[in-house]
Amino acid sequence: MLLAHPAVLRELVARYESLCTASQELALAPDLKRRLDDVAYTLCVTTGTRQLDHALAAARARLAATPAGSTATVSTAAVSTASVSTPAVASTAVAASAKTAATATVTAT
């Protein structure tokens, strides 16, 4: 089974937590909601889960099982989501971005 690189998971979890914090402090703007949805979707794809709470649990368990010094830094470009204007294109772009991030930065077990 292929697993997402711990650095990718760490970046996704951090981005999700940051966006959650921002969404609680501000009114949920459409752009913020879209970014939150995108990172939640990407977490689910990279962890092989269908629910956000399961994705977060799986990502955190993988990170806890990984020694702190054994992960290299991964460019945030590898896990960033595309900025597009229509929902249909956004879904395709997010799926492609998630697939690229998950495929480009995996470790075999």
Side-chain angles (χ1 to χ4, degrees):
M1 180 173 140
L2 294 176
L3 299 173
H5 193 280
V8 171
L9 292 175
R10 187 174 291 108
E11 169 65 25
L12 288 170
V13 171
R15 187 179 317 154
Y16 176 77
E17 290 170 347
S18 172
L19 289 169
C20 280
T21 301
S23 71
Q24 291 172 358
E25 294 173 0
L26 304 170
L28 194 57
D31 180 56
L32 183 58
K33 180 174 178 0
R34 182 191 54 80
R35 290 187 302 157
L36 192 55
D37 290 344
D38 287 350
V39 75
Y41 174 81
T42 305
L43 268 166
C44 288
V45 170
T46 58
T47 57
T49 60
R50 292 181 181 206
Q51 296 179 347
L52 180 58
D53 56 338
H54 294 162
L56 288 168
R60 289 178 177 138
R62 170 99 164 106
L63 292 172
T66 304
S70 69
T71 62
T73 302
V74 174
S75 167
T76 56
V79 293
S80 67
T81 54
S83 172
V84 291
S85 58
T86 64
V89 175
S91 296
T92 304
V94 170
S97 176
K99 182 177 179 184
T100 301
T103 305
T105 56
V106 296
T107 55
T109 59

